[in-house]
Amino acid sequence: MIFKPMAIALVHHPVLDRRGDVVTSAVTNLDIHDLARLATTYNLSRYYLVTPAVEQQTLASRIIEHWQQGAGASYNPDRCHALDCLQVVNSLDEALADWRCLTGPESLAVLTGARHENGIDYPQAGTLAAERSIMLVFGTGHGLAPEVYAPDRPCLDPVRAGQYNHLSVRTAAAIIIDRLIGECHSVLPLSS
């Protein structure tokens, strides 16, 4: 099956902390690199890093600049290439608006989360991805805040493998993307 162009978004606000309070989580170097490499490996067109915190945006920009223009660009050209799909934005709405400008108004945000029940399964998500462009949305901290969930944003079934249910977002994203795309499907690039 061939999927329409696909994106991911890593949301740092609004997310929950361990007490269930809505917070802004910190951008990490590993999230920047690992998810960009994941997106590039699976031919995803965009990786949106979502944070309204100016200091976190500045940090992300400095890290990206080091690997794309600084000493890191010549040290590791593969990482430089992987970061081409990364875009830092203020909000999930901004990411979705940009994605829809690139792919059309029918593009859909598909949420992910470890605690969400009654979501869509991978075959259903695959059918969606074949029919329209999707953006898989991942939350940092202890998951996406309730305000992110909306009737027009389906949620993918959580990763289930055992009783322990606290994967890093990088690990969960890799499992989800591989389960969805895997070796049997391919993703179209954005049209020029």
Side-chain angles (χ1 to χ4, degrees):
M1 185 180 305
I2 298 175
F3 293 155
K4 299 281 187 180
M6 199 179 292
I8 57 173
L10 181 63
V11 176
H12 290 82
H13 179 86
V15 295
L16 301 176
D17 67 8
R18 69 180 69 223
R19 292 184 313 240
D21 295 330
V22 176
V23 298
T24 301
S25 63
V27 171
T28 71
N29 192 20
L30 288 172
D31 290 341
I32 291 171
H33 295 289
D34 287 355
L35 290 179
R37 290 161 50 192
L38 175 66
T40 302
T41 297
Y42 284 88
N43 199 35
L44 306 186
S45 299
R46 286 286 185 279
Y47 162 28
Y48 295 98
L49 187 116
V50 179
T51 181
V54 174
E55 301 85 4
Q56 296 294 305
Q57 292 176 357
T58 300
L59 172 66
S61 295
R62 285 189 7 226
I63 292 168
I64 294 163
E65 183 179 320
H66 169 77
W67 290 105
Q68 288 200 309
Q69 300 165 6
S74 57
Y75 176 74
N76 191 337
D78 289 335
R79 187 165 295 174
C80 176
H81 170 68
L83 290 167
D84 287 343
C85 67
L86 178 58
Q87 187 169 338
V88 180
V89 295
N90 290 307
S91 68
L92 180 57
D93 288 339
E94 184 180 331
L96 191 54
D98 182 73
W99 185 236
R100 286 181 173 152
C101 280
L102 295 169
T103 61
E106 74 286 344
S107 294
L108 183 66
V110 176
L111 308 181
T112 65
R115 291 183 297 275
H116 185 77
E117 299 298 329
N118 302 318
I120 61 173
D121 60 24
Y122 289 92
Q124 290 170 311
T127 299
L128 278 175
E131 295 170 352
R132 58 205 286 193
S133 294
I134 65 170
M135 177 172 57
L136 291 168
V137 181
F138 298 93
T140 56
H142 285 259
L144 297 165
E147 64 205 65
V148 175
Y149 295 90
D152 64 336
R153 294 178 178 167
C155 191
L156 190 60
D157 282 340
V159 172
R160 296 278 189 239
Q163 294 299 313
Y164 188 79
N165 188 20
H166 194 70
L167 295 171
S168 73
V169 70
R170 294 174 308 282
T171 302
I175 292 168
I176 288 168
I177 290 169
D178 189 69
R179 283 184 181 174
L180 182 59
I181 300 170
E183 295 177 7
C184 300
H185 308 293
S186 60
V187 178
L188 294 171
L190 284 172
S191 300
S192 300

